Amino acid sequence: MKAWPDVAEILLEEGTVQNRVAEMGRRISQDYKGRKPLFVCVLRGAALFCSDLIRHVDLPLRLDFIAVSSYGASTTSSGEVRIIKDLESGIEGGDVILVEDIVDTGLTLSYLVQNLQNREPASLKVCTLLSKPDRRLVDVKVDYVGFDIPDEFVVGYGLDFNQRFRNLPYIGVYNSKPEDG
Ligand code: IMP
Ligand code: MG
């Protein structure tokens, strides 16, 4: 597929992403056999990943959403995290799988994990499509990782820059050069 002008390079083709997501879903189905996990999708970035992922999970699962404050227009983390929209489900005593788009510094994830742990689920695992290990500022355990990627700002398949590019079916490196005009 042809890259958009703002996308410098395609990092992960649509088929590559889809194959890996299917694999992750099958893996989770095996690991949680006999259980009924609650998938917690972190809005908005993980929406596409999570909706594809759960279609490959053969379990009586439930789905809920949580939204946290994001970077705004910047491509670097402010370190400030705040819940904008909370879960509708209680999670005490349940098996929870937190689904993220990308773990960068790890600040967002460590906040979310701490916040959810305080609600005393029976178990809490983290599943992310992407991880940038070189960028980590805090040590946070991630149980399922789709792809480790280099330290580049990426867009597509749910990930945005200024709310754009979420609809790309592939994951591309954002072209940070100033736009013409
Ligand atoms: P962290 O708190 O630094 O780990 O950042 C996590 C959040 O930052 C993710 O959920 C994304 O919303 C955003 N983010 C980090 N890196 C990227 C990127 O390369 N492209 C788009 N969003 C990103
Ligand atoms: Mg985000």
mmCIF file of all heavy atoms in Angstrom, residues 139-159:
data_model
loop_
_atom_site.group_PDB
_atom_site.id
_atom_site.type_symbol
_atom_site.label_atom_id
_atom_site.label_comp_id
_atom_site.label_asym_id
_atom_site.label_seq_id
_atom_site.Cartn_x
_atom_site.Cartn_y
_atom_site.Cartn_z
ATOM 1 N N ASP A 139 10.219 0.920 35.087
ATOM 2 C CA ASP A 139 10.191 -0.510 34.838
ATOM 3 C C ASP A 139 8.765 -1.003 35.031
ATOM 4 O O ASP A 139 8.222 -0.927 36.126
ATOM 5 C CB ASP A 139 11.131 -1.193 35.838
ATOM 6 C CG ASP A 139 11.437 -2.617 35.425
ATOM 7 O OD1 ASP A 139 11.319 -2.915 34.221
ATOM 8 O OD2 ASP A 139 11.776 -3.421 36.304
ATOM 9 N N VAL A 140 8.148 -1.475 33.968
ATOM 10 C CA VAL A 140 6.780 -1.953 34.083
ATOM 11 C C VAL A 140 6.649 -3.264 33.303
ATOM 12 O O VAL A 140 7.176 -3.404 32.198
ATOM 13 C CB VAL A 140 5.767 -0.868 33.613
ATOM 14 C CG1 VAL A 140 6.055 -0.385 32.212
ATOM 15 C CG2 VAL A 140 4.331 -1.326 33.758
ATOM 16 N N LYS A 141 5.986 -4.233 33.949
ATOM 17 C CA LYS A 141 5.903 -5.571 33.364
ATOM 18 C C LYS A 141 4.839 -5.612 32.267
ATOM 19 O O LYS A 141 3.696 -5.228 32.488
ATOM 20 C CB LYS A 141 5.555 -6.573 34.464
ATOM 21 C CG LYS A 141 5.583 -8.022 34.005
ATOM 22 C CD LYS A 141 5.579 -8.970 35.201
ATOM 23 C CE LYS A 141 5.432 -10.418 34.774
ATOM 24 N NZ LYS A 141 4.022 -10.803 34.484
ATOM 25 N N VAL A 142 5.234 -6.086 31.090
ATOM 26 C CA VAL A 142 4.287 -6.255 29.994
ATOM 27 C C VAL A 142 4.260 -7.744 29.644
ATOM 28 O O VAL A 142 5.295 -8.358 29.404
ATOM 29 C CB VAL A 142 4.685 -5.415 28.763
ATOM 30 C CG1 VAL A 142 3.618 -5.513 27.689
ATOM 31 C CG2 VAL A 142 4.901 -3.961 29.145
ATOM 32 N N ASP A 143 3.061 -8.329 29.662
ATOM 33 C CA ASP A 143 2.946 -9.778 29.502
ATOM 34 C C ASP A 143 2.876 -10.219 28.045
ATOM 35 O O ASP A 143 3.381 -11.265 27.694
ATOM 36 C CB ASP A 143 1.702 -10.261 30.262
ATOM 37 C CG ASP A 143 1.783 -9.892 31.732
ATOM 38 O OD1 ASP A 143 2.472 -10.606 32.472
ATOM 39 O OD2 ASP A 143 1.209 -8.857 32.136
ATOM 40 N N TYR A 144 2.207 -9.430 27.225
ATOM 41 C CA TYR A 144 2.094 -9.745 25.792
ATOM 42 C C TYR A 144 2.510 -8.523 24.978
ATOM 43 O O TYR A 144 1.922 -7.455 25.132
ATOM 44 C CB TYR A 144 0.655 -10.110 25.423
ATOM 45 C CG TYR A 144 0.077 -11.268 26.209
ATOM 46 C CD1 TYR A 144 -0.726 -11.047 27.325
ATOM 47 C CD2 TYR A 144 0.328 -12.597 25.823
ATOM 48 C CE1 TYR A 144 -1.267 -12.107 28.045
ATOM 49 C CE2 TYR A 144 -0.210 -13.655 26.537
ATOM 50 C CZ TYR A 144 -1.006 -13.404 27.646
ATOM 51 O OH TYR A 144 -1.538 -14.452 28.353
ATOM 52 N N VAL A 145 3.504 -8.697 24.109
ATOM 53 C CA VAL A 145 3.972 -7.605 23.246
ATOM 54 C C VAL A 145 3.861 -8.052 21.791
ATOM 55 O O VAL A 145 4.390 -9.114 21.427
ATOM 56 C CB VAL A 145 5.441 -7.225 23.553
ATOM 57 C CG1 VAL A 145 5.906 -6.110 22.621
ATOM 58 C CG2 VAL A 145 5.612 -6.800 25.000
ATOM 59 N N GLY A 146 3.195 -7.248 20.977
ATOM 60 C CA GLY A 146 3.105 -7.561 19.551
ATOM 61 C C GLY A 146 4.437 -7.393 18.858
ATOM 62 O O GLY A 146 4.977 -8.337 18.268
ATOM 63 N N PHE A 147 4.987 -6.197 18.958
ATOM 64 C CA PHE A 147 6.254 -5.869 18.297
ATOM 65 C C PHE A 147 7.071 -4.914 19.153
ATOM 66 O O PHE A 147 6.541 -3.907 19.616
ATOM 67 C CB PHE A 147 6.011 -5.161 16.951
ATOM 68 C CG PHE A 147 5.154 -5.918 15.976
ATOM 69 C CD1 PHE A 147 3.772 -5.693 15.940
ATOM 70 C CD2 PHE A 147 5.702 -6.823 15.080
ATOM 71 C CE1 PHE A 147 2.959 -6.370 15.027
ATOM 72 C CE2 PHE A 147 4.902 -7.503 14.160
ATOM 73 C CZ PHE A 147 3.533 -7.273 14.133
ATOM 74 N N ASP A 148 8.361 -5.222 19.310
ATOM 75 C CA ASP A 148 9.301 -4.227 19.831
ATOM 76 C C ASP A 148 9.727 -3.378 18.641
ATOM 77 O O ASP A 148 10.110 -3.917 17.604
ATOM 78 C CB ASP A 148 10.538 -4.914 20.425
ATOM 79 C CG ASP A 148 10.289 -5.424 21.839
ATOM 80 O OD1 ASP A 148 9.477 -4.809 22.558
ATOM 81 O OD2 ASP A 148 10.899 -6.442 22.218
ATOM 82 N N ILE A 149 9.651 -2.060 18.806
ATOM 83 C CA ILE A 149 10.027 -1.179 17.698
ATOM 84 C C ILE A 149 11.096 -0.191 18.142
ATOM 85 O O ILE A 149 11.258 0.070 19.332
ATOM 86 C CB ILE A 149 8.802 -0.413 17.122
ATOM 87 C CG1 ILE A 149 8.159 0.505 18.174
ATOM 88 C CG2 ILE A 149 7.770 -1.387 16.547
ATOM 89 C CD1 ILE A 149 7.194 1.530 17.595
ATOM 90 N N PRO A 150 11.837 0.376 17.165
ATOM 91 C CA PRO A 150 12.873 1.356 17.522
ATOM 92 C C PRO A 150 12.271 2.680 17.990
ATOM 93 O O PRO A 150 11.063 2.893 17.912
ATOM 94 C CB PRO A 150 13.642 1.548 16.212
ATOM 95 C CG PRO A 150 12.773 1.036 15.132
ATOM 96 C CD PRO A 150 11.825 0.058 15.741
ATOM 97 N N ASP A 151 13.119 3.565 18.461
ATOM 98 C CA ASP A 151 12.689 4.854 18.994
ATOM 99 C C ASP A 151 12.320 5.811 17.860
ATOM 100 O O ASP A 151 13.077 6.710 17.496
ATOM 101 C CB ASP A 151 13.822 5.438 19.858
ATOM 102 C CG ASP A 151 13.443 6.792 20.441
ATOM 103 O OD1 ASP A 151 12.250 7.172 20.358
ATOM 104 O OD2 ASP A 151 14.346 7.464 20.972
ATOM 105 N N GLU A 152 11.148 5.604 17.302
ATOM 106 C CA GLU A 152 10.608 6.467 16.239
ATOM 107 C C GLU A 152 9.167 6.767 16.612
ATOM 108 O O GLU A 152 8.507 5.933 17.228
ATOM 109 C CB GLU A 152 10.574 5.717 14.895
ATOM 110 C CG GLU A 152 11.884 5.122 14.470
ATOM 111 C CD GLU A 152 12.546 5.912 13.363
ATOM 112 O OE1 GLU A 152 12.351 7.152 13.325
ATOM 113 O OE2 GLU A 152 13.239 5.297 12.552
ATOM 114 N N PHE A 153 8.646 7.918 16.194
ATOM 115 C CA PHE A 153 7.240 8.206 16.446
ATOM 116 C C PHE A 153 6.410 7.572 15.345
ATOM 117 O O PHE A 153 6.579 7.872 14.165
ATOM 118 C CB PHE A 153 6.969 9.712 16.531
ATOM 119 C CG PHE A 153 5.638 9.992 17.154
ATOM 120 C CD1 PHE A 153 5.497 10.028 18.530
ATOM 121 C CD2 PHE A 153 4.510 10.170 16.365
ATOM 122 C CE1 PHE A 153 4.250 10.241 19.119
ATOM 123 C CE2 PHE A 153 3.261 10.393 16.944
ATOM 124 C CZ PHE A 153 3.144 10.424 18.316
ATOM 125 N N VAL A 154 5.531 6.670 15.732
ATOM 126 C CA VAL A 154 4.759 5.919 14.734
ATOM 127 C C VAL A 154 3.277 6.287 14.763
ATOM 128 O O VAL A 154 2.748 6.712 15.791
ATOM 129 C CB VAL A 154 4.929 4.390 14.926
ATOM 130 C CG1 VAL A 154 6.358 3.967 14.616
ATOM 131 C CG2 VAL A 154 4.528 3.949 16.332
ATOM 132 N N VAL A 155 2.643 6.126 13.615
ATOM 133 C CA VAL A 155 1.207 6.414 13.478
ATOM 134 C C VAL A 155 0.533 5.281 12.712
ATOM 135 O O VAL A 155 1.191 4.489 12.038
ATOM 136 C CB VAL A 155 0.962 7.762 12.742
ATOM 137 C CG1 VAL A 155 1.453 8.945 13.565
ATOM 138 C CG2 VAL A 155 1.590 7.759 11.343
ATOM 139 N N GLY A 156 -0.790 5.248 12.820
ATOM 140 C CA GLY A 156 -1.581 4.264 12.083
ATOM 141 C C GLY A 156 -2.093 3.152 12.980
ATOM 142 O O GLY A 156 -1.628 2.986 14.108
ATOM 143 N N TYR A 157 -3.095 2.437 12.491
ATOM 144 C CA TYR A 157 -3.701 1.334 13.225
ATOM 145 C C TYR A 157 -4.050 1.769 14.654
ATOM 146 O O TYR A 157 -3.733 1.100 15.628
ATOM 147 C CB TYR A 157 -2.779 0.114 13.215
ATOM 148 C CG TYR A 157 -3.471 -1.172 13.606
ATOM 149 C CD1 TYR A 157 -4.533 -1.684 12.851
ATOM 150 C CD2 TYR A 157 -3.072 -1.873 14.738
ATOM 151 C CE1 TYR A 157 -5.178 -2.849 13.227
ATOM 152 C CE2 TYR A 157 -3.712 -3.051 15.112
ATOM 153 C CZ TYR A 157 -4.757 -3.518 14.362
ATOM 154 O OH TYR A 157 -5.397 -4.668 14.733
ATOM 155 N N GLY A 158 -4.700 2.918 14.760
ATOM 156 C CA GLY A 158 -5.132 3.433 16.058
ATOM 157 C C GLY A 158 -4.242 4.522 16.617
ATOM 158 O O GLY A 158 -4.698 5.382 17.363
ATOM 159 N N LEU A 159 -2.971 4.489 16.249
ATOM 160 C CA LEU A 159 -2.038 5.484 16.805
ATOM 161 C C LEU A 159 -2.106 6.779 16.009
ATOM 162 O O LEU A 159 -2.165 6.761 14.775
ATOM 163 C CB LEU A 159 -0.603 4.933 16.784
ATOM 164 C CG LEU A 159 -0.391 3.808 17.781
ATOM 165 C CD1 LEU A 159 -0.006 2.538 17.085
ATOM 166 C CD2 LEU A 159 0.647 4.203 18.807
#
